[in-house]
Amino acid sequence: MASWTAVKDCFEKDRQQSLYVQIDPARIVGRTLDPTPARAGVHYFRLWLADMQLSREIAWMREQIPAVHSVVQLDFGGRPGLVIPGIADASTLRAEEGATNIVSRNRLLTPTLPFHGGAVSMQAGLLALPGKDYLGGFLKTLSAFSALLAEPQLSAALALAAPLGAGIQELLSGGAGGRLHLGVIGSYAGSDLRSTYMAAIRATAGQLRPDSLWVVDDQLHVGSAKGRAPLTGFDHMLLRLELLTERDDWDQLRSIAEPYAEMLDALAEGNKARAESCLRQAIVVALKAPELTQADRRRIAEALKQRYAESQSALLLPTFSEAEGCDLGALLRAAPPAEEVAREGALSLEEALSGI
């Protein structure tokens, strides 16, 4: 996609002016990172802007408009090398009280993405755009599109990826005059994709020693084991690449959550035929959902069938009530872990619907 090439070209032009450092796990304080590499069909990943600080030497918001961007390239939904862009306007930034810095902390840049194997490439950075009124309006529009593309139900919004990418390209390589102020770029195979912190600093190795950098409570510090302090004097951004096996947004996967809730309602009403239809719908959608790993497709299908059987039995007892809830996230928290379920391999549709 054009947005990938446009941002990469800007990164290459700016490489000499910025320092890129992957933080040594031994110099991370306040958070323990699992060193396990990504496993296809089991792990998800997402990218966070953990910390960003900009000095006011540049007249941000007036002469220059800041925009935080990300671009991820991965295999998704049977489409190898799919590019998912994202951009956020200055509303994500704020002036720090009692300081001269503009900061942004703990902002999620990407939705939760499944790792299906192959290479995963990522770009993230801060774009500096000329402070023109029309650009501010254009950027807000792109930011609104990006927010829709960042939803957990990503497959429902993929049609926005191409126009959003074209808009980002226009900011960088069209007549807008945008440039990359800070940036990180990387490509990872399965054995290389793991939880880590990456820093981009507007400095050179001669100005700042890479081995003096630390991460303390998701903030970039400089110093030694005996003494360190938050990094100041250099514009910088700190990214956190997070690997996980448990989603925390199940109830936002509406194509599965809604028929699941309808299944429970139908059982409560004594409508077994409708309940079975909703159960089948939820299972079929789950098995086809590109947002899910192979392990989670099996986990959700089996958990739905088990809950159906338990709820149907509960209807025969006086203790059955709506208080049992229809929280899809709670249902998965009680399921076997993904690593264990992955050993059973892919679940066929015939197997998933058997017994219903």
Side-chain angles (χ1 to χ4, degrees):
M1 185 179 284
S3 60
W4 177 270
T5 303
V7 176
K8 185 177 180 181
D9 289 346
C10 285
F11 181 87
E12 294 297 336
K13 291 176 184 176
D14 198 63
R15 184 183 293 271
Q16 300 303 317
Q17 302 179 49
S18 295
L19 185 64
Y20 165 70
V21 181
Q22 186 162 324
I23 306 298
D24 186 335
R27 296 202 298 272
I28 297 172
V29 180
R31 186 188 293 272
T32 302
L33 299 184
D34 186 346
T36 305
R39 181 180 168 192
V42 175
H43 279 97
Y44 297 93
F45 68 94
R46 54 192 178 192
L47 191 63
W48 295 81
L49 176 60
D51 176 33
M52 183 172 73
Q53 295 198 29
L54 308 174
S55 69
R56 292 191 177 178
E57 293 179 3
I58 295 176
W60 293 106
M61 315 296 183
R62 288 184 287 118
E63 295 178 8
Q64 297 285 318
I65 301 173
V68 178
H69 85 90
S70 63
V71 188
V72 178
Q73 190 173 38
L74 76 164
D75 295 347
F76 183 86
R79 299 167 64 177
L82 179 67
V83 174
I84 301 174
I87 193 164
D89 61 20
S91 63
T92 64
L93 307 178
R94 63 179 175 82
E96 197 169 39
E97 292 183 14
T100 59
N101 290 336
I102 297 174
V103 303
S104 181
R105 294 212 174 104
N106 291 317
R107 174 184 171 80
L108 187 60
L109 295 181
T110 69
T112 302
L113 298 168
F115 177 57
H116 293 309
V120 172
S121 299
M122 300 181 194
Q123 301 171 3
L126 177 77
L127 307 182
L129 309 171
K132 300 174 183 177
D133 291 341
Y134 77 89
L135 278 183
F138 182 46
L139 181 56
K140 285 186 179 297
T141 299
L142 292 182
S143 186
F145 281 146
S146 182
L148 295 174
L149 195 58
E151 288 290 317
Q153 194 89 43
L154 174 62
S155 58
L158 278 182
L160 296 173
L164 179 58
I168 294 174
Q169 181 189 18
E170 178 66 22
L171 291 176
L172 290 170
S173 57
R179 63 180 178 83
L180 185 69
H181 185 69
L182 287 168
V184 169
I185 186 169
S187 185
Y188 310 90
S191 59
D192 300 323
L193 186 65
R194 62 187 69 210
S195 297
T196 188
Y197 282 93
M198 301 163 284
I201 308 165
R202 196 76 179 175
T204 65
Q207 294 173 303
L208 189 66
R209 288 188 7 253
D211 61 2
S212 68
L213 296 173
W214 295 69
V215 173
V216 180
D217 295 329
D218 283 343
Q219 189 175 3
L220 198 59
H221 281 55
V222 62
S224 65
K226 295 182 179 179
R228 48 190 176 258
L231 178 63
T232 59
F234 299 97
D235 289 357
H236 62 270
M237 64 189 307
L238 179 67
L239 300 169
R240 177 164 61 91
L241 174 58
E242 178 188 20
L243 256 61
L244 59 160
T245 57
E246 296 290 338
R247 299 187 69 106
D248 54 10
D249 55 6
W250 279 104
D251 292 299
Q252 296 177 61
L253 297 177
R254 292 180 294 276
S255 62
I256 304 172
E258 289 175 0
Y260 169 54
E262 291 174 11
M263 178 195 82
L264 295 180
D265 288 342
L267 282 173
E269 295 166 1
N271 191 336
K272 183 178 178 182
R274 178 168 167 259
E276 286 186 356
S277 175
C278 292
L279 173 60
R280 286 173 175 271
Q281 179 185 346
I283 289 175
V284 170
V285 170
L287 290 185
K288 294 182 178 180
E291 294 87 358
L292 299 184
T293 59
Q294 178 177 291
D296 268 351
R297 290 171 188 166
R298 176 179 282 276
R299 289 175 79 219
I300 187 63
E302 293 180 346
L304 286 168
K305 289 175 68 174
Q306 181 177 347
R307 181 62 197 273
Y308 173 80
E310 292 172 350
S311 297
Q312 188 177 21
S313 299
L315 285 172
L316 304 177
L317 304 174
T319 55
F320 177 81
S321 73
E322 293 183 2
E324 292 186 27
C326 54
D327 185 330
L328 194 60
L331 182 69
L332 267 292
R333 285 192 292 274
E339 296 93 331
E340 177 182 322
V341 172
R343 301 190 193 105
E344 301 179 44
L347 181 68
S348 69
L349 182 61
E350 181 181 6
E351 182 184 356
L353 296 178
S354 64
I356 300 176

